[in-house]
Amino acid sequence: MNQKSLIKQLTISAWNIHGLGDKSNDDFFLNSIKSDINILLETWKGECKEYNIPGFNTFSKIRKKKKKAKRHSGGILVYYKKIYSKGISHIQEGTNSQNRLWLKLDKNFFGLTHDLYLCAVYIPPVNSTHYENDYTQLEKEISTYSNKGQIALIGDFNSRTSSHPDFIENDDPDLFNIHSQNILPQNYDVDQFLKRNNQDKILNAQGNNLLELCLSSRLRILNGRYIGDSLGYFTCFTPNGLSTVDYAIVSKSLLTSVIYFKTNEINYLSDHAQIEIFLKCNISEKQYLFPEDKWKTMKSYKWNDNSKNILIQTISSENFINEIINFETKKYSENQNGIDQAASELDLILCNLTEKTCTLRHTQLTAGSVVYAPFLISPTHFFEIQHENENRNFSIDNDDEFDRSYLPSDQTTTTGVNISTREDEINLFEELKQVRNKHPNKFICSYLNINSLRYKFCAIKDLLSERIVDLLIIAETKLDDTFPDAQFKLDHYHLWRADRSAHGGGLAAYMRSDLASDRQKHLEFKTIESLCVEVVINAKKWLIAGLYRPQSITDNEFKNDFIQSYDKISVKYDNIVFLGDLNYDLLSKEKKQTLESACDICDLENVVKDATCFTQHAEPTLNDVILTNKNIIYKNVVNFNCAISDIGVYLYLLWMADCDRASMTVFSVSVMRISRSVLKTEL
C-alpha cells in the first residue's frame, strides 16, 4: 500500500541547561523544547517525573548524589514527542556510564536507510572527579552499534577542536600500493576534504581525543559545515571566555541525510547555546496516527446538496448552542488529562455535527484519507457572528443582507489600476508558481495585508501548498486566543502569531520548516505591531520583521519605538529588512516626514518607489514599504496584483543580487485577475 508521507524531516536538539531547577516553568524554556527529540544535559536533578511537558514522553539518566553534596550533579533528560513513541527506544544496556544515554531510532518507522543509534553525550572535564576515561569507553560503544546502523552523537564534549580536520588528510589509496599490489580492501572509502569553520581557534587535549575518535570511527562534526552554523559559532559563554564545546557528530554515511545544523542564540537560561540537527526522514501518517487495526473502522464523510441548510439549522438549534456554551464554561484541569478530556468532548461535538450534516462515505478508508469537519471557526467567534446577524435582522432567505465584506471582491476595475478582462487573464498564484519554477533556488519572502485571516485561510493554504513562497508575513489577521494555532497550521511551515484582537490588527508568519529560521520575540517592537524572524541565507543571518502601525500610534511614539528597536536589532544583525504597512504615505511630502526622519537616523532606505494602495475614492498612496540597510542588493522591482484582501495594494517582487535566493514581497489588492501579457512584459 502506498502511504502518504507527512513528515520529511526529524529535528534533534541538545542543550547543557546548567541546572534545570524551576526553568521548566519558564515560558521561554518551554518554547525552546520544540524539536522532535530534545536532550537536556547537566540537569542536576534526581527523578524527573515532575518535569512533564504536554505532548512529550521522557527518558532520563541520573548521576548518583554524593553523600556530602548539596545537590545532584550531571543528569540527562530526553523529551521526545509522543507520536514517535513507537519508533524510539532507550538502550539501557548501551553504556555503563552516567554521562551518556543511548537511543535507537527505528529505520522502518522513520523511513531511514539504517537504524539510527543516537547518543546523548556529556564528557566531563579531565580534572573532574566524574571523568571516566569517557572517550575510550565511547569508542567501544560506537564500535558495537556502528555494525548495526548509523551513529549520531550530540551534546557537550568539553572539547575544543579549532578547525583541525576530523578526516584523513590527503587520503589516497595509491599510497598503499606495495609491489603493485594495494593492501587496502576493495571497498575502502577514501576520505574527502571537508572544510569546517570554527570561531574557536584553540585545540586542547580533549579536542585531540574527539578528533581521533572521529578518525577511528569514521564520524564527522556538523558544526561549521551547514547552514545555520556555517561560520562555526561559539556554543559556551563564560566569564573566562568563549568556546565551542557542544557538537553534533554523525557517521560519514549519514552526511547526505543532514539538511542543516543550527546553533541557537545564547539566552539567560544557560551559559551554553542550544544546538539542533535537521535530518531527512520519511514518516507516513499510518506510522503514528492510527494503529493498524483501526483503519477500517474510521468514518469518512462528504458534503452533499442539503448539507448547507442542515448545518445552518443545526448550529442555530437550542441543543447545539447549549452544547457549545457548556463546553466553553466547563472548567478543565490544567494538565494533560484536562487537555485530553477537553479535546475528546469537543471532538464528540464536531463528530455529531458532521454526522447530522454530511453523508457517510461507503468506500473503505485507506492511509492518507482525510475527514473534513465543516466547522472551521472558533465557537466563541460563531456566537459573535450570530449576535451580529441577529442585531441586523439577518435572514438566510434575504441574500442581500448577508455581509460579504470579508470575501474577495469580484470587481474587475479599480481606480488607478489598469486591469484587463480579456481571455488572457489568469489566476495570480499560477503566475507566481511560474516565477518560482523559473527561480527554484531563490529565497522568496512575502508580505500580505489580509484584513482577517480566518475568512481567507483557504487562499493562504493554496498559496503555501504550492511552496511558492518561503516566508509569508500576514498583517491585520484579526485573531485572538479563541482561535487555536491548529486551525491555521500548514504542513511544512512553521506558524508564528502576534495577535492583537479579533476585531483588528495582528500579525502572523509562515516560514518553511526545512529552512534555518526562528522567531526572535525578544527583539520585537513595543508599540508598533511587529513579528521578527531570523533566517539564514547563504551563511548570513538576516532579521526580517513584519510591521504594522495602527493609526492610533502618534508620530512621536512611532519614531521613538522604531529607532530604539532598530538600535537593539542592529547590534546583533548586519542584514536587516523591515516590511509592512506603516500608514505613512511616502508620496505625500507632508505625511512622509516622520518615517523619512526615522529612516535617515537609522540609515535605512525604502526600496518600494511606486504606489501600493489603490481605492476607488482616493488617490493612490504608498503606505507599504520595504526598509533595508542593504539597499544595494535590491533591483528589478516588479508590481503585481492579488485578490485575497479587500484593501487595494500591490504585490512586489525583489531580487537579492548578492545571494542565491530572491526576496519577493506580496501585498494584497481588490481585484481577482491580472493580464498575462502585462505580467510577462513586467517579468
Side-chain angles (χ1 to χ4, degrees):
M1 180 186 297
N2 292 326
Q3 298 177 18
K4 180 181 177 182
S5 176
L6 287 185
I7 300 177
K8 292 289 189 179
Q9 72 174 21
L10 177 71
T11 55
I12 304 170
S13 68
W15 193 5
N16 183 328
I17 195 63
H18 200 69
L20 185 55
D22 59 356
K23 296 174 185 176
S24 58
N25 298 321
D26 187 284
D27 288 339
F28 187 86
F29 171 82
L30 294 174
N31 290 333
S32 300
I33 307 301
K34 59 186 178 182
S35 301
D36 299 317
I37 301 173
N38 305 267
I39 296 169
L40 300 180
L41 306 167
E42 289 285 271
T43 58
W44 301 349
K45 288 292 180 181
E47 289 292 336
C48 296
K49 293 181 180 179
E50 68 271 25
Y51 298 107
N52 292 329
I53 296 178
F56 288 88
N57 288 336
T58 60
F59 296 122
S60 63
K61 177 162 283 193
I62 304 164
R63 182 185 289 171
K64 291 182 180 179
K65 183 179 178 182
K66 293 185 177 181
K67 291 183 179 180
K68 295 183 179 181
K70 295 182 179 180
R71 61 164 173 80
H72 283 270
S73 63
I76 300 173
L77 177 60
V78 179
Y79 288 105
Y80 63 97
K81 291 183 178 178
K82 287 184 176 180
I83 59 174
Y84 301 142
S85 296
K86 292 184 179 180
I88 302 175
S89 57
H90 179 198
I91 309 175
Q92 297 188 6
E93 70 280 5
T95 179
N96 294 323
S97 173
Q98 298 175 345
N99 299 326
R100 295 183 296 283
L101 185 151
W102 281 92
L103 302 175
K104 177 185 175 182
L105 278 60
D106 183 77
K107 64 180 181 181
N108 296 319
F109 182 93
F110 289 100
L112 305 172
T113 55
H114 302 85
D115 289 330
L116 179 61
Y117 291 87
L118 171 66
C119 186
V121 179
Y122 176 73
I123 304 290
V126 177
N127 57 359
S128 170
T129 57
H130 299 289
Y131 185 74
E132 303 169 343
N133 198 16
D134 287 83
Y135 275 113
T136 301
Q137 298 302 321
L138 178 57
E139 185 175 12
K140 293 178 181 179
E141 295 162 12
I142 292 171
S143 177
T144 299
Y145 294 119
S146 60
N147 293 325
K148 301 178 181 180
Q150 294 173 316
I151 303 294
L153 314 176
I154 188 168
D156 180 1
F157 291 77
N158 273 303
S159 306
R160 305 177 71 175
T161 61
S162 185
S163 299
H164 287 249
D166 52 1
F167 55 88
I168 300 174
E169 292 186 284
N170 303 316
D171 192 15
D172 186 348
D174 292 337
L175 296 176
F176 296 90
N177 280 326
I178 300 177
H179 302 300
S180 300
Q181 184 176 359
N182 197 319
I183 63 174
L184 294 175
Q186 291 184 351
N187 61 350
Y188 177 75
D189 186 10
V190 178
D191 270 358
Q192 303 293 331
F193 175 79
L194 194 59
K195 183 180 179 181
R196 178 170 65 92
N197 294 316
N198 194 346
Q199 293 181 350
D200 186 353
K201 303 304 179 183
I202 294 177
L203 173 68
N204 63 10
Q206 289 282 68
N208 269 324
N209 291 336
L210 176 55
L211 294 172
E212 290 176 5
L213 175 69
C214 292
L215 288 170
S216 63
S217 303
R218 301 193 73 77
L219 302 175
R220 297 294 178 265
I221 298 171
L222 300 185
N223 303 55
R225 283 177 168 148
Y226 284 85
I227 289 179
D229 189 65
S230 57
L231 299 180
Y233 298 115
F234 293 111
T235 65
C236 182
F237 301 76
T238 69
N240 294 327
L242 312 181
S243 60
T244 300
V245 294
D246 304 271
Y247 298 94
I249 304 169
V250 302
S251 298
K252 179 184 175 183
S253 60
L254 190 61
L255 289 176
T256 55
S257 296
V258 178
I259 303 172
Y260 49 80
F261 167 81
K262 181 180 179 183
T263 297
N264 290 320
E265 296 286 344
I266 194 71
N267 57 66
Y268 61 89
L269 293 173
S270 174
D271 54 5
H272 285 254
Q274 186 184 38
I275 60 175
E276 192 171 13
I277 315 173
F278 296 75
L279 294 174
K280 296 177 184 177
C281 68
N282 192 18
I283 308 173
S284 66
E285 64 181 343
K286 187 175 179 180
Q287 287 283 18
Y288 69 91
L289 286 181
F290 303 109
E292 183 70 31
D293 59 350
K294 296 293 183 182
W295 282 93
K296 294 183 180 179
T297 64
M298 289 295 298
K299 294 181 180 180
S300 177
Y301 297 88
K302 62 181 179 180
W303 191 262
N304 58 46
D305 295 338
N306 298 322
S307 294
K308 176 181 177 181
N309 292 331
I310 297 173
L311 174 63
I312 293 171
Q313 293 173 6
T314 303
I315 63 178
S316 301
S317 67
E318 184 176 353
N319 289 338
F320 182 80
I321 293 174
N322 288 335
E323 276 189 293
I324 296 297
I325 292 175
N326 291 336
F327 174 78
E328 288 195 318
T329 57
K330 184 175 180 178
K331 292 185 178 180
Y332 297 94
S333 302
E334 296 183 1
N335 53 34
Q336 187 62 46
N337 291 333
I339 294 172
D340 291 342
Q341 182 185 357
S344 177
E345 292 180 7
L346 179 59
D347 180 66
L348 180 61
I349 293 173
L350 297 180
C351 286
N352 290 337
L353 178 62
T354 305
E355 287 183 355
K356 294 176 182 178
T357 306
C358 302
T359 304
L360 180 66
R361 292 182 187 272
H362 296 289
T363 56
Q364 179 178 331
L365 183 67
T366 59
S369 299
V370 180
V371 181
Y372 291 95
F375 199 77
L376 297 179
I377 60 176
S378 76
T380 300
H381 186 66
F382 162 72
F383 288 110
E384 289 177 359
I385 294 175
Q386 187 184 53
H387 179 68
E388 290 173 3
N389 290 334
E390 288 173 353
N391 292 339
R392 296 169 56 251
N393 297 318
F394 173 77
S395 170
I396 294 295
D397 295 329
N398 187 358
D399 196 49
D400 292 336
E401 289 290 326
F402 193 81
D403 180 9
R404 290 183 174 83
S405 62
Y406 59 83
L407 296 174
S409 171
D410 290 328
Q411 293 173 270
T412 57
T413 59
T414 303
T415 302
V417 187
N418 182 18
I419 304 298
S420 171
T421 57
R422 299 191 305 270
E423 293 181 356
D424 63 347
E425 291 177 342
I426 59 168
N427 186 282
L428 174 65
F429 290 165
E430 185 60 29
E431 292 292 350
L432 291 181
K433 186 176 179 181
Q434 293 178 21
V435 173
R436 164 56 85 190
N437 292 337
K438 186 177 179 181
H439 306 282
N441 297 321
K442 302 295 184 181
F443 178 82
I444 297 180
C445 171
S446 314
Y447 172 86
L448 175 68
N449 185 319
I450 199 168
N451 193 21
S452 188
L453 175 61
R454 57 182 177 263
Y455 299 121
K456 301 158 191 175
F457 176 62
C458 289
I460 296 299
K461 186 175 182 180
D462 290 341
L463 173 64
L464 297 182
S465 64
E466 296 288 346
R467 304 282 190 96
I468 297 174
V469 299
D470 302 308
L471 170 60
L472 173 62
I473 297 175
I474 302 172
E476 292 212 79
T477 54
K478 296 184 180 179
L479 301 176
D480 59 21
D481 57 7
T482 64
F483 296 86
D485 282 351
Q487 185 172 337
F488 306 102
K489 281 276 190 180
L490 291 173
D491 290 342
H492 312 299
Y493 282 88
H494 294 305
L495 168 62
W496 298 299
R497 287 167 51 178
D499 297 339
R500 190 210 300 175
S501 74
H503 307 291
L507 293 163
Y510 286 93
M511 181 72 204
R512 271 182 53 182
S513 56
D514 59 342
L515 297 179
S517 63
D518 200 6
R519 181 179 180 180
Q520 302 298 311
K521 196 170 184 178
H522 62 289
L523 296 177
E524 291 172 0
F525 296 54
K526 291 183 179 179
T527 57
I528 304 169
E529 293 186 19
S530 61
L531 200 156
C532 295
V533 176
E534 175 191 292
V535 59
V536 179
I537 305 174
N538 282 6
K540 295 180 180 179
K541 285 189 177 183
W542 286 77
L543 193 286
I544 302 176
L547 305 180
Y548 177 76
R549 182 188 77 91
Q551 295 187 15
S552 59
I553 296 178
T554 66
D555 291 344
N556 285 336
E557 287 175 333
F558 167 82
K559 190 173 180 180
N560 291 336
D561 188 21
F562 187 91
I563 295 171
Q564 291 174 9
S565 299
Y566 178 81
D567 287 343
K568 183 169 59 175
I569 291 171
S570 62
V571 171
K572 295 190 174 185
Y573 296 90
D574 294 327
N575 307 288
I576 300 170
V577 177
F578 296 158
L579 64 166
D581 179 2
L582 298 181
N583 277 308
Y584 287 112
D585 182 10
L586 295 185
L587 299 181
S588 168
K589 290 184 179 180
E590 180 181 351
K591 296 178 180 179
K592 70 179 181 179
Q593 291 179 359
T594 301
L595 180 57
E596 278 196 343
S597 174
C599 289
D600 288 341
I601 293 172
C602 299
D603 197 21
L604 294 172
E605 181 173 340
N606 176 36
V607 298
V608 181
K609 304 301 181 184
D610 300 321
T612 62
C613 185
F614 299 83
T615 59
Q616 292 185 347
H617 305 294
E619 291 295 320
T621 60
L622 173 49
N623 294 341
D624 307 90
V625 297
I626 302 171
L627 308 175
T628 179
N629 63 341
K630 298 288 185 180
N631 61 299
I632 192 172
I633 67 172
Y634 290 91
K635 60 181 181 179
N636 300 335
V637 179
V638 182
N639 294 356
F640 296 97
N641 305 303
C642 72
I644 298 178
S645 175
D646 55 0
I647 299 175
V649 191
Y650 264 119
L651 175 150
Y652 283 85
L653 179 65
L654 298 96
W655 303 105
M656 290 185 175
D658 66 344
C659 65
D660 292 337
R661 298 180 182 272
S663 174
M664 184 175 72
T665 305
V666 182
F667 300 96
S668 56
V669 76
S670 61
V671 290
M672 285 295 292
R673 299 179 181 276
I674 61 174
S675 166
R676 179 190 296 270
S677 58
V678 171
L679 177 62
K680 287 185 175 179
T681 301
E682 292 291 335
L683 287 176

